[in-house]
Amino acid sequence: MPLHIGIVACSAEGAALCYRTICAEGAQFFGAHGHPEISMHTPSLSDYMDCIYRDDWPGVGELMLASAEKLAKIGADFLICPDNTIHQALPYIASRSPLPWLHIAEVVAAHAAQRGYKRLGLTGTRYLVDSETYPEKLAALGLEYVRPDVADRDGINRIIMDELVYGEFKPEAVAYFQQVIGRLKDAGCDAVVLGCTEIPLIINEANSPLATLDSTRLLARAALRRAGA
């Protein structure tokens, strides 16, 4: 029997894309209409943001742990979190987690190395890009990275938090991301990490100046492989 996937969700649009990807692509692993059992728990996004705004990452971790415990009680075998930003809280609670996790940055880094990329641009919320969540995982595989400048980080963060998480996808936002990714290309990057699970809703291989590393779908596919192992 396939393993039961537990989704520790944070923002709705990214979690929904991850869930849909698991369901839609499950047939490649499990036959027509097939996918593993999936359960998801989502506290209010405002609960997470209250902690993030006051830089309380242990508090973010406790919210993740509460979801993990609920998912374990209903039979999940392992956990994924389709939210890059809150992964920086995972170290606070990993040792107390009732179930193992797939780490989104590890999944992306492994895929980048497999594809032969050398220098990655990082995009995501300001909290994610300022953190060591991706740099630690990339450096472990010998991959270089470039963060956007402060103005670009703030611009991307505004689009994510004021538009994408509310399901608002504007042409102006696409154009802004393209400009930022273009600057990352000029800085020598050969691929860009879409390090917010909502970014793939507006940026993809067809409209990006760089090859894209879609963290949402890469995590979903890793979960499918884990579930079928």
Side-chain angles (χ1 to χ4, degrees):
M1 291 291 293
L3 298 181
H4 181 167
I5 301 171
I7 300 178
V8 174
C10 179
S11 54
E13 291 290 340
L17 177 58
C18 185
Y19 170 82
R20 290 197 305 270
T21 301
I22 293 171
C23 293
E25 299 189 11
Q28 299 175 30
F29 297 82
F30 304 104
H33 308 298
H35 61 73
E37 186 173 3
I38 311 164
S39 297
M40 179 160 61
H41 181 262
T42 320
S44 173
L45 178 57
S46 66
D47 293 343
Y48 274 116
M49 295 313 302
D50 286 346
C51 291
I52 291 172
Y53 288 147
R54 61 176 184 264
D55 203 30
D56 178 12
W57 294 100
V60 170
E62 292 303 318
L63 291 169
M64 298 172 73
L65 183 61
S67 288
E69 290 171 341
K70 290 173 183 176
L71 291 165
K73 287 178 180 178
I74 60 173
D77 293 302
F78 70 95
L79 303 169
I80 61 172
C81 177
D83 188 285
N84 288 269
T85 295
I86 66 173
H87 269 73
Q88 60 193 286
L90 191 54
Y92 291 105
I93 55 93
S95 64
R96 293 184 285 138
S97 175
L99 296 171
W101 299 68
L102 292 183
H103 194 294
I104 196 168
E106 289 181 353
V107 169
V108 172
H111 183 77
Q114 182 181 27
R115 293 289 298 273
Y117 298 126
K118 304 296 184 184
R119 187 176 173 89
L120 309 181
L122 302 181
T123 62
T125 67
R126 175 168 50 82
Y127 315 102
L128 182 280
V129 177
D130 287 351
S131 77
E132 296 303 310
T133 301
Y134 270 91
E136 288 179 354
K137 304 305 182 183
L138 298 177
L141 296 181
L143 300 172
E144 298 179 358
Y145 59 89
V146 176
R147 293 179 169 103
D149 65 26
V150 172
D152 283 344
R153 294 181 211 184
D154 288 343
I156 286 175
N157 191 78
R158 183 197 62 75
I159 291 170
I160 292 170
M161 300 308 302
D162 294 350
E163 298 175 16
L164 301 188
V165 300
Y166 290 110
E168 297 180 11
F169 313 121
K170 301 178 180 179
E172 296 83 0
V174 175
Y176 187 84
F177 268 91
Q178 289 171 327
Q179 293 167 8
V180 173
I181 295 169
R183 286 190 279 274
L184 292 169
K185 183 177 182 179
D186 292 341
C189 295
D190 52 6
V192 60
V193 175
L194 306 183
C196 166
T197 48
E198 277 81 22
I199 295 175
L201 294 166
I202 63 169
I203 295 294
N204 53 55
E205 289 288 313
N207 65 5
S208 170
L210 284 171
T212 59
L213 295 163
D214 179 340
S215 64
T216 316
R217 292 184 174 93
L218 288 174
L219 180 65
R221 291 162 188 160
L224 282 168
R225 291 193 295 272
R226 175 70 172 271

